[in-house]
Amino acid sequence: MEPTRTRRRSPAWTLANCLTYGRLVAVPVVVALLYWPLEHSARFAALGVYILAAITDYLDGYVARTYDQSSALGRMLDPIADKLLVAACLLMLAADGTIRSWTLWAAIVILCREILVSGLREYLAELKVGVPVSRVAKWKTTLQLIALGFLVAGPAGETILPGTVEIGTYLLWIAAALTLYTGWDYMRAGIKHVIDDPR
């Protein structure tokens, strides 16, 4: 008789990675619900899905560190899921007029920074140079997620908390300011390695 072989779970299906997959799935769901911006039930449903997705942003990293579930796949997908969620929400909120006028510049700054940092990370990865996430960058991400939560609630949120959109707008501007600061930090680190690269 052959000895019984214990099956090892694929690292692709760890709890940490499944939480990240959930955040990826949440993106089209939030987008679909924001197609009806004047329907309060749709806005609240979008907010609920968005909050769950934002919570997984913290949980997947915590689970990976606590239960030793870090993987190359998780490290790749985690920032992608974050950027897709933020970008999709910003675009839908700009389309329905929740983000408008001068506040569009805050959204543009945030989107441009995400593209910049993605490009820098890709280039520096070729040089085998890691880009650590600073504490300010973590504050920026947290503030950005909270701001978008208020804006996703939008007009529906105004029925419960008057000034919901205004609060979200102010927080988005603060997040944009932190985005400029952290973006410059990453750019400075990237330029240093470009200059020092002998190739």
Side-chain angles (χ1 to χ4, degrees):
M1 292 180 64
E2 291 186 5
T4 306
R5 294 180 181 178
T6 56
R7 290 185 177 180
R8 294 185 63 188
R9 175 178 284 188
S10 166
W13 294 104
T14 60
L15 176 57
N17 284 345
C18 287
L19 289 169
T20 303
Y21 302 151
R23 191 154 73 260
L24 287 168
V25 171
V27 174
V29 175
V30 172
V31 168
L33 290 167
L34 288 176
Y35 261 101
W36 292 275
L38 300 179
E39 290 290 333
H40 288 191
S41 57
R43 294 294 288 232
F44 282 129
L47 177 63
V49 175
Y50 173 83
I51 289 172
L52 288 175
I55 290 172
T56 65
D57 184 31
Y58 167 77
L59 281 181
D60 58 6
Y62 173 79
V63 169
R65 289 188 302 271
T66 304
Y67 299 101
D68 193 24
Q69 294 183 2
S70 294
S71 66
L73 179 64
R75 287 191 296 273
M76 179 191 74
L77 287 180
D78 183 60
I80 290 173
D82 295 343
K83 287 171 175 55
L84 285 177
L85 181 64
V86 169
C89 286
L90 286 173
L91 290 173
M92 291 304 294
L93 293 167
D96 71 21
T98 304
I99 297 175
R100 60 183 185 276
S101 188
W102 288 101
T103 308
L104 287 170
W105 284 105
I108 291 169
V109 165
I110 290 170
L111 286 174
C112 287
R113 184 265 189 192
E114 299 300 352
I115 295 168
L116 168 71
V117 171
S118 295
L120 279 173
R121 284 184 185 278
E122 185 177 343
Y123 171 74
L124 293 175
E126 293 178 7
L127 303 179
K128 300 192 183 326
V129 175
V131 182
V133 179
S134 67
R135 184 169 295 182
V136 177
K138 291 179 180 178
W139 292 344
K140 182 272 303 179
T141 300
T142 301
L143 197 60
Q144 191 171 272
L145 289 173
I146 293 171
L148 286 175
F150 277 97
L151 294 171
V152 166
E158 295 282 350
T159 61
I160 296 173
L161 177 64
T164 293
V165 174
E166 192 175 357
I167 292 169
T169 300
Y170 283 132
L171 292 177
L172 192 68
W173 274 110
I174 297 171
L178 292 177
T179 290
L180 283 174
Y181 176 80
T182 56
W184 168 246
D185 242 13
Y186 284 123
M187 175 65 86
R188 187 173 54 186
I191 289 173
K192 178 181 180 298
H193 287 288
V194 169
I195 293 172
D196 293 345
D197 187 5
R199 289 176 293 176

